[in-house]
Amino acid sequence: GIEKSVIVEHMDKVDFSKVLPFRFLAAAHAVPAWEDVIDAGLLRFRPERKLLGKTILILDVSGSMRESLSAKSDLDRIDAACGIAIIAREMCAAAVIYATAGNDATRVHATSIVPTRRGMALRDAIKTQEANLGSGGIFLVQSMAYIFEREQSADTIIVFTDEQDCDHKLNPDTANAFGQRNYICNIANYQNGIAYKKKWTHIDGFSEAVLDYIAEVEQD
C-alpha cells in the first residue's frame, strides 16, 4: 500500500554501504514492478576506483551455481555472482564478459560472450546463458583456452565461481591465466578450490569488499 514515490525518495537518501549487492536482486525478485527503482539503488554502488585497461569478467553458470547460498537463503550462488559482477562492471574502464559451463557427460566446456549491459539487465543477460551452456561444472582449462583465442590479452581477469571444476583430464592449475593479473572469486566459500598455482590470486566471498581488495591490489 506504499506509494512508489515514497520508495523512490527513500532510495535516493538511504545509505546502502552495509547492504550486500545480491540483496538488491532479492528485492527485485520480490517486487518486480519496482525493479527500476531497485536497479538505480544498486548502481549507486559505483566504486570510486576503476580497473584500468581491459578487464575480462567470467561468470560460472553451471548447475552447482543454482544451489542456495545457505540453508536459509532465498537466493542461489548465481544471484550472488551476478550481484558482484554488476558492481565489477561499473569499475571497469573497458569490460568484456563471458559465461561458462559445459556438459558433465562429455566433459566439454561451453562458453559464450555476454553483452556488457549494466545493472539488472546484465543479470538477465548472464542468467539467460544458463539454459544455453548446459548444467555441467566449470571447465577452467578449456574455457580459458577458448577465451584466450578470442581476446589474446587482458590487464585483469576475474572469474566468479563456486570452483566445482568437472574436468577429469585437464588440471585447472594449468589453465591459461593470460591476464597481467588474474583472480578467482569463490562465492561458495569452500575450504579448498582450484588453480592455486601459477598466476591466480584466490579470494573468498561475495560482497563488494572482494572488489575493494582487487582495487587495492591493482593500485599497488
Side-chain angles (χ1 to χ4, degrees):
I2 300 174
E3 291 291 333
K4 189 174 182 179
S5 60
V6 175
I7 303 301
V8 171
E9 183 179 359
H10 175 72
M11 294 286 278
D12 286 340
K13 296 177 180 179
V14 70
D15 178 13
F16 289 129
S17 61
K18 305 293 185 184
V19 181
L20 294 171
F22 71 86
R23 297 310 311 167
F24 290 89
L25 275 65
H29 179 73
V31 193
W34 292 359
E35 184 177 288
D36 56 337
V37 181
I38 299 164
D39 200 16
L42 172 58
L43 290 175
R44 280 176 51 193
F45 261 103
R46 299 178 189 175
E48 294 181 3
R49 295 176 182 171
K50 290 287 186 181
L51 297 177
L52 301 179
K54 176 182 176 181
T55 301
I56 299 177
L57 306 176
I58 303 170
L59 278 293
D60 178 354
V61 296
S62 62
S64 60
M65 291 289 285
R66 296 168 197 165
E67 293 185 16
S68 176
L69 283 173
S70 68
K72 297 182 179 180
S73 178
D74 55 350
L75 293 177
D76 53 27
R77 294 171 184 170
I78 191 63
D79 291 314
C82 286
I84 194 171
I86 289 168
I87 307 303
R89 162 73 178 85
E90 296 302 306
M91 293 178 66
C92 296
V96 181
I97 305 173
Y98 283 87
T100 188
N103 187 311
D104 282 351
T106 61
R107 305 294 170 182
V108 175
H109 86 104
T111 303
S112 66
I113 198 160
V114 176
T116 53
R117 296 170 184 165
R118 301 179 62 221
M120 301 291 180
L122 178 56
R123 171 209 61 188
D124 294 343
I126 292 168
K127 297 194 77 170
T128 295
Q129 299 299 325
E130 288 184 287
N132 298 336
L133 299 179
S135 58
I138 189 172
F139 298 85
L140 190 65
V141 174
Q142 297 180 47
S143 61
M144 290 304 298
Y146 175 91
I147 294 168
F148 175 71
E149 286 181 5
R150 285 148 184 80
E151 302 297 335
Q152 293 297 307
S153 64
D155 294 282
T156 307
I157 295 175
I158 308 175
V159 182
F160 300 103
T161 178
D162 61 358
E163 298 193 287
Q164 301 301 289
D165 195 293
C166 292
D167 201 324
H168 286 178
K169 295 182 179 180
L170 301 174
N171 187 336
D173 282 333
T174 66
N176 184 6
F178 63 89
Q180 294 296 314
R181 295 160 300 278
N182 307 276
Y183 303 90
I184 289 184
C185 294
N186 185 348
I187 53 84
N189 289 326
Y190 291 122
Q191 183 177 1
N192 299 309
I194 58 174
Y196 279 93
K197 298 180 181 179
K198 295 191 175 181
K199 294 171 63 178
W200 293 106
T201 297
H202 265 72
I203 311 171
D204 290 340
F206 46 79
S207 77
E208 72 282 359
V210 167
L211 301 175
D212 291 338
Y213 175 85
I214 291 175
E216 287 287 346
V217 173
E218 296 290 293
Q219 180 173 316
D220 291 341

